[in-house]
Amino acid sequence: METVQQQYKFSKPLIIMLIGSAFILALSLGVRHGFGLYLVPMSHEFGWSHQVFSLAIAIQNLFWGAVQPFTGALADKYGSKKVVAVGGVLYTIGLLLMAISSTAWLLDFSVGIIIGLALSATSFSVLLSAVGRAAHPSKRSMAMGIASAAGSFGQFIMLPTTLLLLQHIGWSAALVVSAILVALIIPLALTLNAPPYHVPKSLKNANAPELSFKQILNIAAHHKPFLWLALGFLVCGFQVVFLGIHLPGYLIDHGFDASTGTIFLALIGLFNIVGTYSAGWLGDRYSKPHLLMWLYGIRGIAIIAFLLLPLSIWTVYAFGVVMGLLWLSTVPLTNGIVANMFGVKYLTMLSGVVFFTHQVGSFFGGWLGGLNHDMTGNYNMIWGCAIFLSFFAVAVHYFVNEEAVVDD
């Protein structure tokens, strides 16, 4: 019989997996979050409108989301280690191609398709599902929160590093350096070896049938709380990609230099460490849907306050701190709800399904931001959409619960 002490203790393989996942997420998301810093220098060099770069990022997010369920299914079947290693290879190739992208179609192919596919294998859905599968159910949200928080440190480190590279060696050479760093994901994939946690037989429903991929997808497609959860995650994608890609340009439009936007994004990365860990800790103790309602509501209030207050370096940084606390706090909570609903056997695939809606939102947040700016010279319409969607997400998560649909 498993003791209470054993339930609450992370095994050595799980600790190694947490460390490896943190470094992989730090590299994968740290480089990816720095893409917004390339918008201005690449657009200026090749005479592109903001929409050209924005569309490439939008394609990346849409492609990332569209293939995520399939990448998740492969990880569920063949193991996260192999999928992440292949993702590291693709990510490296994509960055090297981006470094020589002088045309819109090559930018769409490298940043949009190749890196989009790579991110589906080296980001949250695959890695947090692997961590969640190996953790005790009572500590699952916390384990996911730890991996997310540590991975967020990559955004804090990589953003100022990317800015320094851009200033001293130029955007193309900076991408080559990023490719070399991302190649480290390939050997780091070997750390993803922790065995899945097995619920003791005495706690299992002996009569529970084994379900196929098709059956579990059919159940999920007809489970309304799961569909509401997926719809709510769309809002997260819209907001984080709009801010991550366009806020540096928004600040430049208002007379700030590039370093202000970089510090803003770095503050998001730093305080995201606190936010994601806290969300994981709270998710093991309180209702995850209710926590998500609070997170989205506070996001909306923060955006309104940022727009109404006089724009200064201090309001920019304060906004970065607040949004950092709320940035990816949704991820361990959302994945935790999916795990509670359907168990961990198909967690990567089902998290990928939910994540697809996140990336649909990301597509529109990235693309419409650039389109709005090119047509009007400002981002007013997109700011309004971001505020509306915050409160839409609050309403949507009212209909979400985390009751088990199938046995873990």
Side-chain angles (χ1 to χ4, degrees):
M1 178 68 67
E2 186 178 40
T3 67
V4 173
Q5 184 179 9
Q6 288 173 324
Q7 290 178 4
Y8 283 83
K9 184 179 179 182
F10 289 160
S11 66
K12 185 177 179 181
L14 177 55
I15 292 172
I16 293 172
M17 178 182 277
L18 281 170
I19 295 170
S21 297
F23 277 109
I24 293 168
L25 288 170
L27 290 166
S28 176
L29 298 181
V31 170
R32 186 253 178 186
H33 280 300
F35 284 161
L37 301 180
Y38 292 93
L39 186 152
V40 173
M42 291 187 73
S43 298
H44 282 176
E45 179 162 339
F46 299 114
W48 295 335
S49 67
H50 281 205
Q51 187 182 351
V52 172
F53 192 91
S54 299
L55 181 60
I57 297 296
I59 291 171
Q60 176 193 105
N61 284 295
L62 190 61
F63 198 78
W64 177 2
V67 300
Q68 187 69 78
F70 302 101
T71 308
L74 289 172
D76 285 334
K77 186 172 183 179
Y78 298 107
S80 301
K81 180 169 61 176
K82 295 178 181 178
V83 170
V84 171
V86 172
V89 172
L90 289 173
Y91 207 152
T92 304
I93 293 171
L95 288 169
L96 292 174
L97 284 176
M98 183 181 174
I100 59 171
S101 294
S102 58
T103 61
W105 73 264
L106 186 54
L107 189 71
D108 291 341
F109 179 66
S110 59
V111 180
I113 296 175
I114 296 182
I115 295 180
L117 180 58
L119 285 166
S120 75
T122 59
S123 57
F124 286 120
S125 292
V126 171
L127 289 158
L128 294 194
S129 296
V131 168
R133 190 179 290 112
H136 187 277
S138 65
K139 307 300 288 182
R140 188 176 288 147
S141 288
M142 179 175 283
M144 291 179 176
I146 291 171
S148 300
S152 299
F153 191 69
Q155 182 178 349
F156 175 66
I157 294 296
M158 287 303 299
L159 280 162
T161 302
T162 299
L163 181 62
L164 288 173
L165 291 172
L166 286 168
Q167 291 174 338
H168 290 91
I169 63 175
W171 64 266
S172 184
L175 286 167
V176 173
V177 173
S178 297
I180 293 170
L181 291 173
V182 161
L184 295 174
I185 289 175
I186 302 167
L188 284 169
L190 298 174
T191 64
L192 306 178
N193 270 327
Y197 173 82
H198 293 291
V199 177
K201 291 183 179 180
S202 60
L203 300 179
K204 284 186 175 182
N205 181 357
N207 298 317
E210 285 289 323
L211 299 173
S212 66
F213 281 106
K214 184 177 180 180
Q215 288 172 319
I216 199 74
L217 278 173
N218 185 58
I219 292 171
H222 291 86
H223 186 56
K224 288 184 179 179
F226 178 79
L227 299 179
W228 288 121
L229 180 68
L231 185 60
F233 215 23
L234 179 147
V235 176
C236 181
F238 184 98
Q239 292 174 334
V240 300
V241 170
F242 165 61
L243 291 174
I245 297 300
H246 294 290
L247 196 80
Y250 172 83
L251 294 174
I252 289 173
D253 287 347
H254 286 79
F256 296 91
D257 59 24
S259 63
T260 305
T262 303
I263 294 172
F264 168 82
L265 294 175
L267 285 171
I268 284 179
L270 180 62
F271 283 88
N272 190 37
I273 297 170
V274 179
T276 49
Y277 175 81
S278 299
W281 185 86
L282 291 169
D284 284 332
R285 291 160 175 79
Y286 302 101
S287 165
K288 297 178 188 66
H290 290 170
L291 290 171
L292 286 169
M293 291 172 69
W294 277 103
L295 285 172
Y296 284 112
I298 297 171
R299 270 194 196 180
I301 294 169
I303 293 172
I304 292 171
F306 175 68
L307 296 175
L308 291 180
L309 290 171
L311 190 60
S312 71
I313 195 169
W314 300 113
T315 58
V316 171
Y317 294 162
F319 186 50
V321 171
V322 174
M323 290 306 298
L325 293 172
L326 308 171
W327 193 250
L328 295 179
S329 302
T330 59
V331 174
L333 296 175
T334 300
N335 283 357
I337 291 172
V338 175
N340 287 348
M341 286 178 175
F342 300 100
V344 297
K345 184 175 181 180
Y346 301 111
L347 177 58
T348 319
M349 178 183 66
L350 292 176
S351 293
V353 172
V354 174
F355 188 72
F356 172 65
T357 61
H358 180 283
Q359 295 308 95
V360 171
S362 298
F363 174 87
F364 286 108
W367 175 55
L368 291 179
L371 182 63
N372 184 203
H373 186 275
D374 287 344
M375 293 179 65
T376 66
N378 60 57
Y379 293 101
N380 293 346
M381 182 185 75
I382 306 302
W383 282 119
C385 288
I387 293 168
F388 169 78
L389 287 173
S390 286
F391 299 108
F392 171 77
V394 173
V396 162
H397 283 92
Y398 177 80
F399 300 102
V400 176
N401 64 64
E402 46 188 323
E403 295 177 2
V405 181
V406 299
D407 286 324
D408 201 343

